[in-house]
Amino acid sequence: MNKKRNKIVFKKKILVALIILFCNYLQAQTAMVNVQSRNLTSLNGKWKVIIDPTGIGDWRQVWQEKKPQKKTDFVEYSFEGGPELDVPGDFNTQMPELTYFEGTVWYKKQFSHTKREDKRLFLYFGAVNYLADVYLNGEKIGSHEGGFTPFQFEITNKVKEGNNTLIVKVNNQRKENGLPGVGYDWLNFGGITRDVGLIETNNVFIEDYFIQLKKGSLNNVLGWVQLNGAKTNQKITIKIPELNLNYKTKTDDKGFANIEFSSKFTLWSPENPKIYKVAIESETDAVDDNIGFRSIEVKGSEIFLNKKPIFLKAVNIHEENPFKGSRAFSKEDAGILLNAAKELGCNLVRLAHYPHSENMIKEAEKMGLMVWDELPIYQHIKFSDSLVPKKMEMMLKEMVTRDKNRAAVAIWSLSNETYSSTPNRNDALISLTQKCKAMDSTRLISHVINTQGYGDNTFTVRDSLYKYSDIVAINEYIGWYIPWQGKPSDTKWEIDFPNKPVFISEFGGEALYGNNDLPSDEASNWTEGYQEQIYKDQVKMFKTIPNLAGVCPWILFDYKSLSRMNQIYQNGYNRKGLISENGEKKKAWYIMSRYYKGK
Ligand code: GCU
C-alpha cells in the first residue's frame, strides 16, 4: 500500500515539475534593452479584435481560427466582421461598450516575414495590461503577467516565411495575487497599451548593458555588457565621440564583460540635462544610446545630486492623457504631462504607481526632470501567496532592466501604502529591496508608507520598513481625509529614523475646477478654496518637518478612478489634481508654484 501511495506521490511531483517547467518555458523573456535602436519592425496600427465578455474564447480555442471543413460545419467566432482597435492604446476609451470593461479581448495581427540566414527574430511588447497569452500561427508561444513592463519572445524557429498570424489574448481582470491586487485608485485601462514590434538580430547580439557612474563617483563609469548567443567571447568597444572616449574590453565565455573607464563628464542635472551619444559595439552587433551621467546619493539626512544637496520639488503623475482621458503612451502624451510639471516648477516627477512608458522616462530625461520609478505593489498585496514574491521580482527585473541607463531615474520605489499587518509584507519587501540593490546600487530605494500615527497634532513615524529605505517617504492627507489637530505651524514630529531624508510623497485634497460659489470652508462643497487652504496649511507644516528633502503633491491632473462616485463633483474622477482634466489650473496650483519658486 505504502509503495503504491509513494508511487502516486512521486508521479504527482513529476507532473507538477513538468507543469512548472512548461510554464517557465512559456514564460516571456525580459526584453532586450533599448529596442528603439534595434532593427525593429513596428506592428503598431489597427488590430482586429474579438471582445469576449464571458471568456469562452479559451474553450473555443479562438487562436486556432478554425474554418468550416464540411457543409455541416460552423464556427462560432471570427475576427472577420469584427471591430478593429488601435495598438498601442487602451481598449476602454476606443469603444463605448468597453468603457468599464474588465475581461478578455482577443487581438489579431498579420505580418509578412522574410527569413534570413544567421538572423534571429524576437516579438517585443512594450506593455500589455494585465495578462497576455500570445499565439503565433495557432501555436502558443508564451504568456506574461503585469501591465506596465516590457517583455519579449524569441520566434526565430516559429516564424514562417511569408504570412504569419499573431493572436494575443489580453485580460485585464483583477487578481487576488496580482500586482496591483484587486483594489486601486486608478482606472484599470486594459489592452495592448504600448508598442509592439519584431526585432531582428544577428545570432550573437548585445542583449543588455549598464553604463552609469559608479556609486558616489562623478567620473568613474562602472558597468557591464551582456551578449546573447552562441559565440560570445567577443571584443567590446564603448565609444563616446564627444569625449574622445574609445574603451575596449572583452567578454567572457558567458558573453559578459565588466566595463570600467573614467572621463570628465558634463553631469546630467535638471538645470543642464546633458546627454551623450554612446555607441556599444561587439564583433557582431552595435547599439546606440543617449546616456546622461550623474550621481545621486543620500548623506545623513540630505539627498545629494552630483555632490550638491538638492530639494526634491516633485509632483505625482498618473499615466493618463488628461485631455483624451486615455492611457498615455506617446511622446506627445508625455509632453503634455511633463511640460505641466515643469511649469509648476518641478525637478522630479513621481510616476505613480507603476513604471510608465519608456517615452515618458526618456522625455523627462531630455527635459531635466528626475524620475521616481515605482512598482505597482500597492496597498493590499497578497504577500503570503507563494507566487507573489516571484511576480514582484520579475516586475522589478523588467523595470530595472529597461530604465537603468536613464540618468533621470533617481529612485526605485518598490511599494506604496502596504501595511505592516499584512502577512509576510516585511519579509517580502525586505528581500525585494536586497534584490533591487543587487541589480543596481547606484540609485536610491524607497518604500512609500502611510502607517504613521497622527495624534495631538503630532506625527509618529515608526514603520520598520523605513530601515530598508534610503528615504522616509510619507503619504499624509491632513486637511482632507484627516482634519488638522492644531495649527499646521505647530505640528510635531517623532520620526524613528532621525538620520534619513524625509519626503512627503503625497498630500492634498479634492476640488472641482470652477466650483467656487459655495462656502469654501466645507470639504463637501469640493471648492477650489478648500483645496487651496489645504495647500497653504501644508506649506506651513513643511517648515516643521525635520530633515525635509522634498515634497510631492497628489496629483498634477485630475484623473479617472471609478471608485470616485460623487456624481456632483467627481463623476469617476479623483479630483485631487492641481489642474483639471481640461488643463485648468486650480487655486492650489498657484500656492504650489509659489512654494517651488521659493525653493
Ligand atoms: C493614496 C494613494 C493614491 C490615492 C490617494 C487618494 O494615498 O497612494 O493612489 O489616489 O491616496 O486617496 O487620492
Side-chain angles (χ1 to χ4, degrees):
M1 182 58 186
N2 272 355
K3 251 210 182 127
K4 200 154 166 269
R5 199 156 37 76
N6 291 350
K7 220 170 171 191
I8 294 168
V9 170
F10 179 69
K11 278 198 183 137
K12 272 205 185 127
K13 280 199 179 136
I14 294 285
L15 191 64
V16 169
L18 281 175
I19 291 168
I20 291 171
L21 207 69
F22 187 66
C23 291
N24 285 346
Y25 156 69
L26 273 184
Q27 184 69 38
Q29 301 166 343
T30 302
M32 64 186 80
V33 293
N34 197 7
V35 296
Q36 298 313 331
S37 75
R38 309 272 181 173
N39 180 2
L40 176 70
T41 307
S42 175
L43 292 177
N44 292 350
K46 295 284 182 198
W47 288 50
K48 288 188 176 307
V49 297
I50 298 176
I51 299 164
D52 183 6
T54 67
I56 196 158
D58 287 312
W59 182 75
R60 292 202 186 288
Q61 301 188 326
V62 160
W63 60 91
Q64 301 275 358
E65 284 208 280
K66 283 199 204 84
K67 297 287 178 266
Q69 302 303 316
K70 53 189 187 304
K71 288 188 183 271
T72 53
D73 280 356
F74 56 87
V75 179
E76 297 194 86
Y77 66 83
S78 69
F79 284 96
E80 288 64 38
E84 292 187 325
L85 291 178
D86 289 324
V87 167
D90 66 84
F91 53 54
N92 305 82
T93 55
Q94 295 193 53
M95 294 171 71
E97 55 268 52
L98 294 177
T99 302
Y100 301 137
F101 190 73
E102 297 193 359
T104 295
V105 174
W106 297 84
Y107 285 74
K108 172 184 172 181
K109 185 77 172 177
Q110 293 188 295
F111 64 90
S112 175
H113 182 67
T114 308
K115 293 189 130 182
R116 295 200 292 162
E117 257 334 280
D118 301 331
K119 294 292 182 188
R120 297 166 67 187
L121 193 70
F122 295 84
L123 174 61
Y124 165 86
F125 293 87
V128 174
N129 192 46
Y130 179 74
L131 283 176
D133 293 307
V134 182
Y135 302 83
L136 184 64
N137 303 324
E139 182 206 338
K140 182 155 190 183
I141 58 173
S143 299
H144 182 267
E145 177 170 348
F148 304 100
T149 42
F151 55 97
Q152 69 183 33
F153 303 97
E154 175 153 17
I155 57 171
T156 310
N157 305 325
K158 297 195 172 82
V159 70
K160 287 188 304 183
E161 183 69 26
N163 198 26
N164 290 268
T165 300
L166 179 59
I167 291 178
V168 183
K169 174 192 172 188
V170 176
N171 182 292
N172 70 331
Q173 273 160 317
R174 301 159 189 254
K175 286 170 76 75
E176 279 280 326
N177 65 357
L179 300 173
V182 175
Y184 42 88
D185 188 23
W186 64 85
L187 194 142
N188 179 18
F189 290 109
I192 303 180
T193 51
R194 295 180 190 155
D195 295 336
V196 184
L198 297 167
I199 304 171
E200 188 179 65
T201 71
N202 290 331
N203 281 334
V204 182
F205 66 95
I206 298 169
E207 178 178 54
D208 199 355
Y209 52 84
F210 184 34
I211 301 177
Q212 284 284 282
L213 288 175
K214 187 176 170 184
K215 183 79 183 171
S217 170
L218 296 184
N219 29 47
N220 294 337
V221 167
L222 187 61
W224 46 266
V225 173
Q226 176 67 61
L227 299 180
N228 178 316
K231 181 179 156 306
T232 48
N233 271 99
Q234 292 195 6
K235 292 193 197 77
I236 298 290
T237 309
I238 311 285
K239 293 180 181 159
I240 308 183
E242 207 180 326
L243 296 168
N244 294 323
L245 189 125
N246 205 326
Y247 171 81
K248 296 190 180 305
T249 183
K250 214 168 179 323
T251 53
D252 61 20
D253 53 18
K254 293 195 178 60
F256 185 84
N258 281 309
I259 58 174
E260 183 156 9
F261 58 83
S262 302
S263 189
K264 204 162 170 8
F265 297 99
T266 301
L267 299 168
W268 183 97
S269 69
E271 298 72 34
N272 180 17
K274 174 63 184 173
I275 303 279
Y276 288 92
K277 286 209 167 319
V278 178
I280 301 101
E281 297 173 1
S282 73
E283 292 164 36
T284 55
D285 196 11
V287 177
D288 291 330
D289 204 339
N290 298 308
I291 298 180
F293 299 89
R294 57 92 193 91
S295 106
I296 183 85
E297 53 197 326
V298 161
K299 280 203 203 125
S301 61
E302 286 185 295
I303 299 175
F304 285 74
L305 177 71
N306 300 335
K307 304 290 178 190
K308 297 194 198 81
I310 187 165
F311 185 87
L312 306 182
K313 301 189 277 186
V315 73
N316 283 283
I317 297 179
H318 257 301
E319 193 178 40
E320 183 177 307
N321 176 320
F323 308 128
K324 295 181 188 162
S326 60
R327 181 58 86 205
F329 61 82
S330 66
K331 286 196 179 117
E332 295 69 34
D333 295 334
I336 292 167
L337 297 165
L338 298 171
N339 281 316
K342 277 288 235 188
E343 192 191 358
L344 182 62
C346 296
N347 59 16
L348 182 139
V349 286
R350 177 183 177 212
L351 304 182
H353 292 291
Y354 37 77
H356 290 207
S357 76
E358 217 171 344
N359 285 327
M360 190 73 161
I361 311 268
K362 288 185 172 175
E363 292 305 307
E365 185 162 76
K366 285 185 204 143
M367 294 166 74
L369 284 165
M370 288 184 283
V371 168
W372 173 295
D373 221 341
E374 184 161 305
L375 292 177
I377 301 176
Y378 178 94
Q379 298 186 348
H380 303 288
I381 297 295
K382 214 168 180 197
F383 293 107
S384 56
D385 180 303
S386 63
L387 291 177
V388 166
K390 288 196 191 69
K391 294 181 188 180
M392 295 188 335
E393 189 181 345
M394 184 197 68
M395 230 176 247
L396 173 70
K397 184 165 181 243
E398 291 173 346
M399 172 177 79
V400 172
T401 299
R402 188 195 74 177
D403 296 340
K404 64 186 177 302
N405 291 304
R406 305 276 73 78
V409 176
I411 301 179
W412 301 121
S413 177
L414 305 184
S415 68
N416 178 72
E417 298 193 352
T418 59
Y419 310 103
S420 44
S421 54
T422 306
N424 197 35
R425 176 257 207 175
N426 273 21
D427 292 351
L429 290 179
I430 293 166
S431 122
L432 188 71
T433 308
Q434 283 145 2
K435 290 191 174 105
C436 187
K437 271 205 168 42
M439 287 179 197
D440 171 27
S441 63
T442 68
R443 290 176 172 86
L444 310 186
I445 292 179
S446 169
H447 291 280
V448 175
I449 302 171
N450 68 337
T451 56
Q452 67 277 355
Y454 177 66
D456 195 15
N457 209 19
T458 303
F459 281 93
T460 47
V461 181
R462 309 231 182 285
D463 197 308
S464 60
L465 191 57
Y466 281 134
K467 278 197 217 119
Y468 305 91
S469 297
D470 292 310
I471 62 174
V472 176
I474 302 169
N475 288 358
E476 51 84 10
Y477 283 90
I478 310 302
W480 184 249
Y481 293 128
I482 301 170
W484 292 99
Q485 293 170 356
K487 280 173 59 179
S489 51
D490 296 344
T491 306
K492 303 275 177 299
W493 295 82
E494 292 170 14
I495 303 180
D496 284 6
F497 314 93
N499 301 320
K500 287 195 183 207
V502 173
F503 180 74
I504 301 298
S505 36
E506 290 181 35
F507 68 96
E510 305 219 353
L512 176 63
Y513 174 77
N515 175 40
N516 297 317
D517 305 339
L518 298 165
S520 66
D521 61 349
E522 291 172 36
S524 63
N525 291 336
W526 258 267
T527 63
E528 288 184 57
Y530 194 93
Q531 183 194 42
E532 181 188 31
Q533 189 56 46
I534 292 172
Y535 275 76
K536 285 180 178 168
D537 293 339
Q538 286 278 339
V539 165
K540 286 194 188 113
M541 181 186 70
F542 293 158
K543 296 192 179 72
T544 70
I545 307 176
N547 307 330
L548 184 64
V551 297
C552 192
W554 186 267
I555 185 164
L556 187 56
F557 283 96
D558 288 354
Y559 69 95
K560 290 181 176 178
S561 177
L562 301 180
S563 61
R564 307 294 173 169
M565 304 189 294
N566 179 307
Q567 300 192 91
I568 301 170
Y569 299 114
Q570 294 179 312
N571 290 305
Y573 270 83
N574 182 310
R575 292 265 176 230
K576 294 190 183 68
L578 289 168
I579 309 173
S580 75
E581 73 275 24
N582 306 314
E584 302 137 325
K585 294 186 178 75
K586 301 176 191 177
K587 291 181 177 175
W589 185 93
Y590 298 93
I591 304 299
M592 213 52 226
S593 155
R594 198 176 315 129
Y595 177 73
Y596 281 160
K597 280 207 181 64
K599 275 284 167 199

